[in-house]
């Protein structure tokens, strides 16, 4: 039986080719993901470990938790603590570290590093072992700065050039005093690093006389653990905590591994979808192969083969196919992993040097996935083959599905579908956080139910296409009949395409609805013409708000200043605003009282009012970060949203209690409204700063749209693998169907159906099956998009369902294109059949 199984594999290698390709693509996706994420993770881990070579023990401030009316805060690491750490027995030196956001502009004035990975820090003395100088000298004063070598190379800077830099708003124009090398992971990923002398860095980053961290180097013969123990004894344990360099490197490696784990899981989900779609192809292929070899299998039974042996022979074939697919998929996956790493460079990101990492786990996973998926998908066809009675099979009386089995299948499908719909609908009434599990379960049940019911659904839906198919005459009629001749086969072929389009449509519906809802939120909540913020959404210097307010074109402006406080023993964030202008800059609906901010009068959103039991006229005590308390009065309760919410208080009341005031954004209204000329004037008034964004409502909307578009395009690309696998499934089914119907096609050719009509018949059959899968996929996608939107609606008052009719039409056309392309080879093959040879075919 083993030799028979292998002979059958070799005899049908052309028919199994598409199955091998489908499994190979899924395996390649899995192994490519593992190679890519393991390679990137190891490269960053090794790079970050180098960054701790100069750190034997790091001393950091310990956050003091909020307690009662006392606001929690992080104590400062003072010069006294630095001096004390440097004198601990076993310490060779102690370095004070200061860090913060620092944006560097290129020679065209545009921001380098994308903003998020633009960092700054301090260079220690005239020499700093952490940052070896390539050229130049250490910086001195606000007029000099060091930049990393990768940034210098990307922007074309050299020692002596003047560079535009921004830390929190105002533009600085220091001279580049030197260029250094670094193993910093952010720089390796395309970011930038600028270094000032220590007093300048402390002043720029709001750490005058203080540090963010103290790095201690051990003397010769002193271990990291011994030095850490000495520091723990010498420094106040209530204020600081210590970590060894090895511990920091291990923690950093764990963080990198965790961050890559999320990416790995996401990519593996899409690989799983492609493999899931591939199971339909495998099951379809082996079902058709078994049906074509019914007499052969019956003869084996007649000469003594048992049912188990027949099933086993089919599984051996599947094992051989899975092994070939697994090995080729692994090889292709290594190429994909290398390609993805190179692709990062095209997006402006770079990765630390390192070899491709192909672990034993990757090899085992690739082979296991290829073999297990193929064998499991082939088990049911093999089991069915063993059940065919030998006499019936040898007489060509194939065991067709009985009425009882069809009733059982349809009943089971109806139960799964009903349960899925019920669970999804129930999930839409739950809290968004608690509904994720039930929503996912309901979606799986519904998809399984629809798949089981697909043979039943195929007849009415394909029948609906009959009027159109009649236009094509005999070819159209035959195509419709062929499509419903074997409903299970049609269902399996269409379901592969259905899965991909369900996910694509659902995500498109959600993204489009969210985009519209956020646009609506911005237009309904903001009256301001512009919103000014940092490129990295970090804190803005109060000087920015002052410059804007002084502009002659500005009629009203308000910085939004965040501050932590304690209210009734709970931590609350206050939003400081310009009380006299905020009502003119926002359009928030007032539910109770009046929107009035000034003096001790504040406004609160409905959620906080409900939590604390406040209403217009309520009074409460707030404890500021400086420890002082004040009685405030609720002037009004407004309907908050994701853009504007919380307790709004006048900045003139809030700012005196802040040790380091900074703004998150500034809202601006101008006399001439939003226009390109006004925007240019505001940008120039702020020094044409690349780190500051001046955005009108349309710009904000475009930013959000860009984010959704990028996300959708990535998802389309990832789900495209499932669609490609589905295309292979359609090709495989049609090709094997043509072989199966060779005699029939020969007869049709003999009675007058020409080659063009035969091609048309096969193409129309493919088109009908693909459109059937497309209609089911789009329908399910809209339902899931609506259900997910219902959950989002509980957290976003402006959410509304928007059906992207244009894109859904494109998806349906895509399904049609899939059908037409998939039929090219099978149709050509059918038309080229020799009619006499085909008629004589078994």
């Amino acid at each position: 039986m083993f030799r028979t199984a292998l002979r059958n594999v070799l005899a049908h290698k052309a028919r199994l080719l598409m199955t091998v390709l489908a499994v190979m693509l899924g395996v390649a996706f899995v192994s490519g993901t593992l190679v890519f994420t393991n390679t990137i993770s190891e490269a960053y881990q090794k790079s970050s470990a180098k960054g701790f070579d100069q750190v034997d023990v790091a001393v950091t401030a310990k956050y003091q938790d909020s307690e009662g009316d006392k606001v929690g805060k992080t104590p400062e690491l003072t010069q006294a603590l630095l001096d004390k750490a440097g004198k601990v027995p076993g310490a060779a030196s102690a370095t004070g570290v200061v860090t913060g956001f620092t944006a560097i502009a290129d020679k065209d004035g545009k921001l380098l590093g994308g903003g998020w990975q633009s960092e700054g820090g301090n260079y220690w003395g005239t020499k700093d072992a952490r940052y070896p100088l390539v050229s130049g000298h250490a910086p001195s004063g606000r007029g000099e700065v060091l930049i990393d070598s990768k940034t210098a190379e990307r922007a074309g800077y050299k020692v002596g050039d003047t560079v535009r830099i921004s830390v929190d708003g105002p533009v600085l124009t220091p001279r580049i005093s030197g260029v250094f090398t670094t193993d910093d992971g952010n720089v390796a990923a395309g970011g930038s690093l600028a270094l000032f002398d220590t007093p300048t860095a402390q002043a720029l980053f709001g750490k005058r006389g203080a540090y963010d961290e103290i790095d201690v180097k051990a003397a010769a013969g002193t271990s990291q653990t011994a030095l850490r123990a000495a520091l723990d004894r010498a420094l106040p344990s209530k204020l600081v905590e210590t970590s060894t360099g090895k511990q920091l490197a291990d923690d950093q490696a764990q963080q990198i591994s965790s961050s890559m784990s999320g990416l790995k899981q996401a990519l593996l989900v899409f690989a799983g979808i492609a493999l899931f779609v591939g199971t339909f192809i495998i099951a379809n292929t082996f079902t058709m192969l078994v049906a074509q070899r019914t007499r052969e299998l019956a003869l084996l039974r007649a000469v003594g083969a048992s049912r188990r042996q027949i099933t086993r022979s089919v599984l051996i074939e599947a094992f051989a196919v899975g092994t070939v697919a697994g090995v080729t998929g692994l090889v292709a996956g290594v190429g994909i992993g290398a390609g993805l790493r190179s692709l990062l460079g095209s997006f402006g990101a770079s990765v630390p040097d390192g070899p491709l990492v192909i672990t034993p786990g990757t090899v085992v996973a690739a082979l296991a996935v290829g073999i297990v998926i193929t064998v499991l998908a082939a088990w049911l066809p093999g089991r069915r083959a063993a059940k065919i009675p030998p006499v019936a099979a040898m007489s060509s009386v194939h065991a067709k599905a009985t009425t009882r089995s069809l009733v059982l299948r349809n009943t089971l499908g109806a139960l799964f579908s009903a349960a899925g719909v019920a669970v999804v609908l129930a999930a839409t009434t739950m809290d968004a956080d608690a509904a994720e599990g039930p929503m996912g379960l309901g979606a799986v049940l519904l998809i399984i139910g629809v798949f089981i019911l697909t043979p039943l659904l195929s007849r009415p839906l394909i029948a609906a296409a009959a009027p159109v198919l009649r236009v094509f005459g005999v070819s159209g009629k035959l195509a419709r009949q062929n499509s419903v001749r074997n409903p299970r086969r049609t269902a399996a072929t269409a379901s592969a395409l259905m899965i991909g389009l369900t996910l694509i449509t659902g995500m498109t519906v959600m993204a489009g609805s969210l985009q519209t809802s956020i646009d609506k939120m911005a237009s309904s909540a903001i009256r301001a013409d512009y919103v000014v913020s940092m490129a990295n959404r970090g804190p803005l210097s109060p000087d920015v708000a002052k410059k804007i307010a002084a502009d002659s074109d500005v009629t009203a402006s308000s910085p939004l200043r965040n501050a932590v406080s304690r209210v009734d023993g709970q931590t609350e964030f206050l939003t400081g605003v310009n009380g006299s202008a905020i009502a003119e800059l926002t359009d928030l609906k007032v539910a109770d009282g009046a929107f009035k901010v000034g003096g001790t009068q504040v406004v609160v959103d409905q959620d906080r009012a409900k939590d604390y039991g406040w209403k217009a006229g309520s009074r409460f005590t707030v404890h500021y970060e400086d420890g002082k308390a004040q009685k405030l009065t609720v002037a009004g309760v407004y309907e908050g949203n994701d853009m504007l919410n919380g307790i709004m208080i006048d900045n003139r009341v809030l700012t005196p209690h802040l040790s380091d005031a900074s703004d998150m954004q500034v809202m601006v209204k101008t006399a001439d409204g939003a226009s390109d000329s006004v925007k240019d004037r505001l940008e120039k008034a702020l020094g044409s700063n690349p780190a500051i964004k001046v955005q009108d409502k349309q710009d904000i909307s475009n930013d959000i749209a860009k984010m959704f578009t990028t996300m959708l395009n990535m998802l389309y690309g990832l789900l495209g693998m499932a669609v490609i696998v589905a295309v292979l499934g359609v090709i495989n089914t049609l090709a094997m169907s043509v072989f199966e119907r060779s005699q029939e096609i020969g007869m049709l050719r003999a009675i007058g159906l020409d080659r063009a009509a035969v091609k048309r018949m096969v193409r129309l059959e493919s088109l009908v099956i693909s459109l059937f899968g497309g209609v089911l996929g789009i329908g399910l996608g809209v339902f899931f998009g609506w259900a997910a939107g219902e959950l989002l609606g509980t957290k976003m008052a402006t959410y509304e369902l928007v059906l992207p009719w244009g894109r859904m039409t494109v998806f349906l056309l895509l399904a049609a294109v899939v059908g037409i392309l998939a039929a090219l080879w099978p149709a050509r093959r059918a038309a080229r059949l020799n009619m006499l040879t085909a008629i004589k075919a078994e």
Side-chain angles (χ1 to χ4, degrees):
M1 293 302 294
F2 180 76
R3 286 196 301 270
T4 301
L6 291 182
R7 179 184 62 78
N8 284 325
V9 171
L10 295 174
H12 301 112
K13 53 183 177 291
R15 298 181 220 172
L16 290 169
L17 177 62
M18 294 300 172
T19 302
V20 171
L21 283 174
V23 180
M24 185 202 76
L25 285 173
V27 172
F29 208 153
V30 171
S31 54
T33 294
L34 295 176
V35 169
F36 172 67
T37 53
N38 288 339
T39 298
I40 299 299
S41 181
E42 184 167 306
Y44 275 116
Q45 285 176 22
K46 287 182 177 178
S47 176
S48 65
K50 290 179 184 176
F52 294 109
D53 287 346
Q54 301 299 320
V55 182
D56 287 316
V57 179
V59 180
T60 54
K62 185 184 291 184
Y63 178 74
Q64 310 296 301
D65 292 327
S66 299
E67 208 174 309
D69 296 328
K70 184 181 177 183
V71 176
K73 63 179 180 179
T74 302
E76 291 185 336
L77 297 178
T78 61
Q79 184 66 39
L81 281 173
L82 173 64
D83 294 339
K84 195 170 186 179
K87 294 175 182 177
V88 166
S93 62
T95 303
V97 179
V98 185
T99 58
F101 171 75
T102 304
I104 302 177
D106 62 19
K107 290 186 175 181
D108 295 325
K110 294 180 180 178
L111 181 65
L112 285 169
W116 300 101
Q117 297 167 323
S118 302
E119 293 293 327
N122 66 313
Y123 189 81
W124 193 251
T126 57
K127 251 189 176 183
D128 193 329
R130 299 171 300 167
Y131 308 111
L133 286 176
V134 175
S135 59
H137 59 82
S140 177
R142 294 177 72 97
E144 292 187 338
V145 68
L146 295 177
I147 64 172
D148 68 89
S149 56
K150 289 186 182 295
T151 299
E153 183 181 348
R154 284 197 298 268
Y157 283 128
K158 61 183 184 298
V159 174
D161 288 347
T162 298
V163 62
R164 294 170 61 81
I165 285 178
S166 176
V167 171
D168 60 358
V171 177
L172 307 174
T173 54
R175 184 179 62 85
I176 297 174
S177 66
V179 175
F180 63 92
T181 59
T182 178
D183 294 312
D184 188 286
N186 283 330
V187 174
S192 62
L193 180 61
L195 300 176
F196 306 89
D197 67 13
T198 297
T200 300
Q202 288 174 321
L204 290 175
F205 302 135
K207 298 284 182 182
R208 294 184 184 275
Y211 303 94
D212 293 303
E213 182 176 301
I214 296 172
D215 293 341
V216 186
K217 188 74 176 168
T222 303
S223 67
Q224 290 187 351
T225 51
L227 178 59
R228 181 184 181 185
L231 286 165
D232 286 340
R233 289 190 297 269
L235 303 179
S237 60
K238 288 185 178 181
L239 298 179
V240 302
E241 52 190 354
T242 58
S243 304
T244 64
K246 183 180 184 307
Q247 181 183 342
L248 290 172
D250 291 343
D251 290 346
Q252 183 79 359
Q254 181 61 40
Q255 289 176 8
I256 292 170
S257 180
S258 297
S259 63
M260 294 306 297
S261 176
L263 174 62
K264 183 187 295 185
Q265 289 174 8
L267 291 173
L268 287 177
V269 165
F270 290 99
I273 292 168
L275 285 167
F276 180 61
V277 172
T279 59
F280 293 111
I281 300 173
I282 300 165
N284 233 10
T285 301
F286 278 92
T287 298
M288 296 175 77
L289 283 175
V290 166
Q292 291 168 14
R293 288 161 38 207
T294 303
R295 284 192 179 185
E296 177 189 328
L297 295 174
L299 183 60
L300 289 172
R301 288 288 311 282
V303 296
S306 66
R307 285 188 175 185
R308 286 187 177 181
Q309 285 179 309
I310 295 297
T311 303
R312 200 178 301 135
S313 71
V314 175
L315 294 182
I316 290 171
E317 291 180 48
F319 179 84
V321 170
T323 302
V324 172
V327 171
T328 54
L330 174 61
V331 174
V334 172
I336 289 173
L340 286 174
R341 177 174 171 172
S342 299
L343 190 63
L344 286 178
S346 65
F347 290 108
S350 56
V351 180
D353 294 332
L356 279 178
V357 178
I358 306 169
T359 64
T362 300
V363 177
V364 171
L367 294 176
V369 166
I371 293 169
V372 171
I373 291 291
T374 309
V375 170
L376 286 178
W379 175 76
L380 191 58
R383 188 167 173 268
R384 283 180 188 158
K387 283 186 173 182
I388 301 174
V391 175
M394 292 178 73
S395 304
S396 296
V397 183
H398 298 179
K400 295 184 179 179
T402 63
T403 303
R404 180 182 174 186
S405 70
L406 291 174
V407 169
L408 178 63
R409 179 183 181 121
N410 293 338
T411 302
L412 192 62
L415 289 174
F416 267 97
S417 298
V421 171
V423 173
V424 169
L425 291 178
T428 60
T429 63
M430 300 179 183
D431 181 74
D433 296 328
E436 291 179 3
M439 181 72 76
L441 174 63
V444 171
L445 290 174
L446 181 54
I447 288 175
I448 292 173
V450 171
F451 169 65
I452 296 173
L453 284 175
T454 307
L456 178 66
L457 297 172
S458 65
R459 290 187 178 277
L461 287 177
I462 291 176
V468 178
L469 292 175
R470 286 197 195 101
V471 175
F472 299 95
V474 175
S475 297
K477 183 178 180 180
L478 290 172
R480 184 181 66 79
Q481 291 174 348
N482 290 335
S483 301
V484 296
R485 176 185 294 182
N486 191 328
R488 287 184 176 179
R489 184 188 302 168
T490 298
T493 307
S495 295
L497 189 58
M498 177 191 79
I499 300 296
L501 286 180
T502 295
L503 295 169
I504 289 174
T505 304
M507 290 173 179
T508 303
V509 169
M510 283 183 60
S513 300
L514 277 170
Q515 175 64 54
T516 302
S517 303
I518 291 170
D519 287 350
K520 187 177 177 182
M521 182 192 300
S523 60
S524 63
I526 300 174
R527 287 182 183 168
D529 296 320
Y530 296 99
V531 174
V532 179
S533 62
M534 290 293 287
N536 69 332
R537 301 297 178 189
L540 270 169
S541 167
D543 291 342
V544 173
K546 291 176 183 176
K547 284 185 179 180
I548 289 172
D551 192 285
S552 58
D553 291 320
V554 174
T555 58
S557 66
S558 173
L560 300 186
R561 187 166 296 167
N562 286 354
V564 66
S565 70
R566 297 285 284 178
V567 176
D568 291 348
Q570 301 292 322
T571 297
E572 275 295 343
F573 286 91
L574 306 175
T575 301
V577 298
N578 181 350
S580 61
I582 191 64
E584 188 179 348
L585 297 165
T586 59
D587 192 15
L588 298 168
K589 188 176 179 181
V590 178
D592 183 26
F595 197 90
K596 186 177 180 181
V597 180
T600 59
Q601 289 188 314
V602 299
V603 292
V604 301
D605 65 0
Q606 284 181 316
D607 290 340
R608 282 165 181 76
K610 183 179 178 181
D611 291 341
Y612 291 104
W614 294 337
K615 58 183 179 180
S618 296
R619 301 192 72 200
F620 64 93
T621 302
V622 62
H623 295 267
Y624 299 107
E625 68 173 51
D626 63 356
K628 295 182 180 178
Q630 187 175 29
K631 283 277 187 184
L632 300 176
T633 302
V634 177
V637 177
Y638 66 92
E639 294 181 6
N641 54 51
D642 289 340
M643 299 183 74
L644 294 169
N645 56 58
I647 302 171
M648 292 190 189
I649 182 173
D650 197 303
N651 273 324
R652 286 175 292 185
V653 175
L654 175 64
T655 303
H657 299 286
L658 304 181
S659 58
D660 184 23
S662 61
D663 304 324
M664 294 310 296
Q665 59 186 35
V666 181
M667 303 177 75
V668 185
K669 196 169 184 63
T670 62
D672 299 328
S675 67
D676 291 340
S677 59
V678 173
K679 183 177 179 180
D680 288 341
R681 286 203 300 272
L682 282 175
E683 289 176 342
K684 287 177 181 176
L686 296 173
S688 299
N689 193 328
I692 292 181
K693 298 168 76 173
V694 179
Q695 297 178 296
D696 59 22
K697 283 186 270 192
Q698 188 59 51
D699 292 331
I700 296 172
S701 176
N702 290 342
D703 262 8
I704 297 169
K706 184 179 179 182
M707 179 180 67
F708 281 125
T709 301
T710 302
M711 178 187 71
L712 268 181
N713 288 339
M714 289 176 62
L715 293 175
Y716 288 161
L718 292 169
L719 288 171
M721 182 69 74
V723 175
I724 291 171
V725 173
V727 172
L728 292 176
V730 178
I731 294 172
N732 211 23
T733 301
L734 287 173
M736 297 185 75
S737 178
V738 166
F739 179 85
E740 191 178 73
R741 304 198 315 256
S742 294
Q743 190 176 53
E744 176 188 318
I745 292 170
M747 289 293 294
L748 290 171
R749 291 274 287 113
I751 61 175
L753 198 67
D754 60 19
R755 289 187 175 184
V758 170
K759 283 184 180 180
R760 196 179 306 119
M761 175 187 71
V762 176
R763 288 170 184 163
L764 289 173
E765 180 183 348
S766 175
L767 182 63
V768 167
I769 292 173
S770 297
L771 286 175
F772 170 52
V775 169
L776 286 181
I778 291 171
L780 282 174
V782 169
F783 176 71
F784 291 140
W786 165 82
E790 288 295 298
L791 290 183
L792 291 171
T794 61
K795 291 189 173 184
M796 187 181 291
T798 57
Y799 183 86
E800 63 173 295
L801 179 68
V802 177
L803 294 180
W805 294 106
R807 291 208 175 192
M808 288 194 295
T809 302
V810 170
F811 296 155
L812 198 59
L813 291 174
L814 174 65
V817 170
V818 164
I820 292 169
L821 293 177
L824 291 177
W825 177 56
R828 186 167 177 267
R829 182 181 177 186
R832 293 178 66 183
L833 284 175
N834 183 289
M835 67 179 73
L836 294 178
T837 305
I839 290 170
K840 291 189 294 181
E842 288 289 334

